[in-house]
Amino acid sequence: MSESAASGVRGMSVASAFGEMRSMTPVVFRAGCPDCRGRFELTASALRLAIGATSRTTFYSFTCPECGASVRKPAGERIIELLTGGGVSTLRLHSTL
């Protein structure tokens, strides 16, 4: 690492690093409701991910903002990657040991 790069890193405070993170655009996920057929975007805080021992017990859920229905949909590997990468809270329903 060059001296100028190293000094630039040392010059950044924790507050300024987190300040830049807060200014980033939040991740939104497109979703649809099977009850009312509404299509909308949800933030990570509106979704929940549950990872179970099998594909039948691995799902994501949310409340439809249009009709209020509780929606539960299966989550495969790609969906799990997208949701966890986007900051969705995850609950593990099985032991990883």
Side-chain angles (χ1 to χ4, degrees):
M1 181 179 289
S2 72
E3 185 177 319
S4 62
S7 64
V9 171
R10 273 187 251 131
M12 180 177 276
S13 70
V14 172
S16 65
F18 280 108
E20 288 181 30
M21 288 176 61
R22 283 192 298 267
S23 67
M24 295 173 57
T25 304
V27 176
V28 293
F29 299 92
R30 284 187 227 135
C33 177
D35 289 352
C36 71
R37 302 265 188 231
R39 310 267 322 144
F40 37 82
E41 292 183 340
L42 298 170
T43 63
S45 63
L47 294 156
R48 294 161 302 281
L49 174 63
I51 300 176
T54 67
S55 61
R56 294 184 77 195
T57 58
T58 300
F59 59 91
Y60 67 98
S61 62
F62 58 91
T63 300
C64 175
E66 294 185 14
C67 73
S70 293
V71 180
R72 178 175 159 165
K73 294 187 175 189
E77 287 183 36
R78 182 68 180 138
I79 297 293
I80 292 169
E81 287 177 28
L82 291 170
L83 294 177
T84 56
V88 173
S89 296
T90 303
L91 173 65
R92 293 205 176 269
L93 302 175
H94 66 95
S95 172
T96 57
L97 298 176

